[in-house]
């Protein structure tokens, strides 16, 4: 088994993006801009948002942080998004999910101008993906396809099994892997919490992507020998031996699965760095399209 080094592949792509951002700035007199909206203080969300803003700075993308309290009224949040929609310096708008209880996530996503929807979560973006039009592809699925291709794995003709049907990962990834074109042309099976005998499906996968949000979703005896396994899970497990009091584990039982697989993404250091990289790429794409 070989580990896929997401950090290394992400660093290569980020260097390309930084060059693109510098050229954009040279040409237009301003850096590409990303608004990063965080409501509340969910610890995982705070750490994601911090990582995204740091990555922007390193790539020469200007970030516009917007911090709101957990009890922000829906109208205030919508008004913030409306303000960013018309701000000429802002090319992309990211609203970190999940939103605190009581806020209507889908209504907030719909308020983002599709030309600034660098997360690719707007129904217009997802619809364009489904019908094969150019669009902002959601960052985690885009990052997974890029990881596969840059690791020498072309999904074309392979059986890809995706576990998890979220709007953010599973559903758009199934669309990407099955579409005609680069990184697509796979035969895709989409499994979820209502799939009986999950192992019967995962054992058939040439490429197995696990985005279920639950540790140990895929374990011993559930992977075909030689399969490529992409672990999208980011779960915090209490661990008193760690300085932060927790460690990160994926959705895959790596002790059981890694010896059977050919290529595996680790957690952390696999998919995570690619998600942020694709956000930077989408922001540069938005800036170029708007300039
Ligand atoms: N929450 C988990 N993943 C994501 C993501 O890619 N974008 C946003 N905005 N929120 C998330």
């Amino acid at each position: 088994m070989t580990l896929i080094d997401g950090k290394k592949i992400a660093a290569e792509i980020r260097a390309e993006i930084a060059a693109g951002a510098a050229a954009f700035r040279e040409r237009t007199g301003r850096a590409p801009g990303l608004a990063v909206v965080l409501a509340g203080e969910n610890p995982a969300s705070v750490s994601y948002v911090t990582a995204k803003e740091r990555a922007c700075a390193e790539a020469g993308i200007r970030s516009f942080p917007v911090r709101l309290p957990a009890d922000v009224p829906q109208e205030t949040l919508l008004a913030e998004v409306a303000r960013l929609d018309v701000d000429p310096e802002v090319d992309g708008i990211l609203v970190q999910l999940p939103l605190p209880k009581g806020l209507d996530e889908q209504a907030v996503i719909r308020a983002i101008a599709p030309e600034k929807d660098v997360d690719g979560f707007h129904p217009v973006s997802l619809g364009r993906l489904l019908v094969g039009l150019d669009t902002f592809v959601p960052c985690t699925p885009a990052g997974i396809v890029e990881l596969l291709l840059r690791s020498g794995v072309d999904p074309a003709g392979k059986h890809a099994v995706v576990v998890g049907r979220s709007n953010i990962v599973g559903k758009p990834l199934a669309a990407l892997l099955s579409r005609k074109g680069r990184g697509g042309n796979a035969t895709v099976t989409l499994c979820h919490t209502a799939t009986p005998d999950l192992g019967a499906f995962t054992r058939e996968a040439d490429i197995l992507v696990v985005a279920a949000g639950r540790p140990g979703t895929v374990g011993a005896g559930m992977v075909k020998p030689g399969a490529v396994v992409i672990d999208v899970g980011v779960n915090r497990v209490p661990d008193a031996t760690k300085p932060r009091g927790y460690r990160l584990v994926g959705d895959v039982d790596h002790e059981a699965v890694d010896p059977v697989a050919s290529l595996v993404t680790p957690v952390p250091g696999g998919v995570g760095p690619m998600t942020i990289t694709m956000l930077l790429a989408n922001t540069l794409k938005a800036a170029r399209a708007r300039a």
Side-chain angles (χ1 to χ4, degrees):
M1 181 276 308
T2 307
L3 282 180
I4 295 178
D5 189 345
K7 266 169 93 170
K8 179 161 165 268
I9 295 172
E12 289 164 13
I13 303 173
R14 286 186 203 192
E16 298 165 17
I17 296 167
F24 178 87
R25 187 178 182 155
E26 190 70 25
R27 184 162 63 84
T28 65
R30 70 173 182 88
L34 174 68
V36 181
V37 181
L38 174 64
E41 290 173 358
N42 174 299
S45 292
V46 170
S47 96
Y48 290 141
V49 159
T50 307
K52 288 171 183 179
E53 288 169 349
R54 189 184 311 131
C56 279
E58 286 168 7
I61 290 171
R62 182 174 170 198
S63 57
F64 296 82
V66 178
R67 297 291 183 269
L68 300 164
D71 62 355
V72 62
Q74 175 86 9
E75 311 79 71
T76 309
L77 179 51
L78 289 174
E80 278 297 320
V81 172
R83 177 181 67 78
L84 297 167
D85 278 341
V86 296
D87 185 333
E89 303 249 57
V90 170
D91 298 297
I93 302 171
L94 171 135
V95 178
Q96 187 63 32
L97 305 179
L99 288 172
K101 260 209 184 85
L103 292 168
D104 180 346
E105 216 156 81
Q106 284 302 321
V108 173
I109 290 169
R110 284 197 305 276
I112 297 171
E115 60 272 19
K116 296 191 178 186
D117 178 35
V118 289
D119 256 329
F121 294 166
H122 194 288
V124 166
S125 303
L126 290 167
R128 291 179 67 92
L129 174 63
L130 274 186
V131 297
L133 294 171
D134 183 55
T135 187
F136 295 111
V137 177
C139 302
T140 300
I144 290 168
V145 169
E146 208 53 49
L147 262 189
L148 288 170
L149 291 173
R150 292 194 186 225
S151 304
V153 181
D154 187 344
K158 307 246 167 48
H159 183 198
V161 175
V162 178
V163 183
R165 58 179 154 187
S166 70
N167 291 336
I168 293 180
V169 184
K171 280 190 274 185
L173 180 61
L176 261 187
L177 289 170
S178 58
R179 75 176 175 175
K180 265 190 185 156
R182 179 180 178 271
N185 285 314
T187 303
V188 177
T189 300
L190 183 59
C191 300
H192 43 69
T193 44
T195 302
D197 191 5
L198 181 63
F201 294 92
T202 60
R203 275 189 293 276
E204 295 298 319
D206 303 312
I207 299 170
L208 176 60
V209 184
V210 192
R214 192 171 55 85
T217 299
V218 167
M222 292 177 74
V223 174
K224 176 163 83 177
V228 175
V229 178
I230 307 293
D231 188 351
V232 188
V234 187
N235 306 290
R236 292 183 175 204
V237 174
D239 185 341
T241 71
K242 301 285 173 193
R244 293 197 170 117
Y246 66 86
R247 68 193 148 86
L248 292 180
V249 303
D251 290 349
V252 171
D253 176 355
H254 284 272
E255 215 174 279
V257 165
D258 289 7
V260 179
S262 61
L263 285 172
V264 176
T265 61
V267 177
V271 173
M274 291 300 289
T275 295
I276 298 183
T277 302
M278 294 301 124
L279 174 68
L280 304 176
N282 279 348
T283 303
L284 180 57
K285 176 180 167 132
R288 284 172 172 160
R290 291 183 64 255

